[in-house]
Amino acid sequence: MKLLEERIRKDGVVKEGNVLKVDSFLNHQLDISLYNEMGKEFKRLFADRKINKILTIEASGIGIACVAAQYFDVPVVFAKKSQSINIDGTVYSTMITSFTHKRDYQVIVSKKFIGPEDHVLIIDDFLANGCALKGLIELVEDAGASVEGIGIAVEKGFQEGGRIIRDMGMNLHSLAIVESMDASTGEIVFREQ
Ligand code: 5GP
């Protein structure tokens, strides 16, 4: 998606450690007109799929998922990060390793909000090593629901997540795929799609 690529080139900041900061428009301050265009693009990309629910993960995925949901006319469920070690039978849970915070945390979704009748589109802001997505896919599968597609705003194509998730046979679309980025020059190269 050219609009997103141009914005990343203009306002994205490449940090050491393979981190791309996009906090002025995507995940701290949010540009809602850009979000709207992203939502429309997700709708176009997944138009052939029967989707009745969008699943994301707190916090950065929620805004993108909510704006996109208006184009699908479906509810959004977000996986919550949980401190509790006493997980009861009312939730599905999985462990996720955070790429940016370098720690493990548990995420949960109530069994009330996802079940075998659901056809789920998973949406998140970034795809790096794929850990967050693997966790979300596991939650959907534990619920007996189906993953109809996965929509990502920014995939870092030089990390392994995209390959892992596509090798699982998932219908994954990323709006922008960063092929390479250089913290010393700030240069960002996108994959042609
Ligand atoms: P993964 O689980 O695929 O390794 O990482 C995905 C999660 O880590 C995303 O939900 C996102 O919040 C965060 N993340 C990974 N890489 C970056 C990055 O370069 N910049 C930002 N802002 N977040 C990232």
Side-chain angles (χ1 to χ4, degrees):
M1 183 185 174
K2 285 289 166 227
L3 188 68
L4 180 59
E5 291 180 5
E6 280 163 16
R7 191 60 181 273
I8 294 169
R9 249 200 208 100
K10 180 168 159 279
D11 292 328
V13 180
V14 183
K15 297 282 188 188
E16 293 295 341
N18 284 339
V19 172
L20 176 62
K21 281 207 89 159
V22 287
D23 58 356
S24 64
F25 60 99
L26 201 72
N27 59 15
H28 190 14
Q29 174 170 258
L30 316 178
D31 181 336
I32 301 304
S33 56
L34 175 66
Y35 268 41
N36 265 318
E37 295 308 315
M38 289 163 50
K40 280 184 214 164
E41 184 64 4
F42 282 134
K43 178 65 189 169
R44 191 185 68 79
L45 290 166
F46 297 105
D48 61 331
R49 296 292 173 135
K50 190 177 120 198
I51 288 160
N52 73 329
K53 203 159 278 188
I54 292 179
L55 175 68
T56 188
I57 181 166
E58 69 175 344
S60 319
I62 297 176
I64 300 171
C66 287
V67 174
Q70 298 182 99
Y71 295 96
F72 290 86
D73 200 18
V74 300
V76 172
V77 176
F78 67 90
K80 290 184 172 218
K81 293 172 182 166
S82 162
Q83 306 288 353
S84 171
I85 44 166
N86 296 315
I87 291 299
D88 60 21
T90 65
V91 297
Y92 298 108
S93 77
T94 189
M95 292 296 288
I96 286 180
T97 305
S98 165
F99 173 78
T100 36
H101 299 112
K102 309 274 182 260
R103 67 177 189 87
D104 293 343
Y105 54 91
Q106 181 165 248
V107 297
I108 58 164
V109 169
S110 169
K111 289 183 180 175
K112 279 189 291 190
F113 302 129
I114 186 156
E117 66 289 353
D118 286 323
H119 296 267
V120 178
L121 173 64
I122 297 175
I123 283 189
D124 203 3
D125 60 341
F126 268 90
L127 171 55
N129 291 325
C131 196
L133 277 187
K134 278 190 279 182
L136 292 175
I137 292 166
E138 191 185 317
L139 292 176
V140 174
E141 290 180 345
D142 283 352
S146 61
V147 180
E148 292 297 328
I150 301 176
I152 295 290
V154 187
E155 175 179 338
K156 291 185 291 180
F158 53 87
Q159 292 184 253
E160 62 181 8
R163 183 188 51 74
I164 292 171
I165 301 298
R166 290 187 181 91
D167 284 354
M168 290 169 77
M170 290 291 158
N171 177 26
L172 164 66
H173 288 289
S174 301
L175 302 183
I177 303 182
V178 176
E179 198 67 85
S180 65
M181 58 188 203
D182 187 327
S184 58
T185 62
E187 195 197 6
I188 301 171
V189 177
F190 292 97
R191 186 181 298 172
E192 285 292 332
Q193 326 192 52

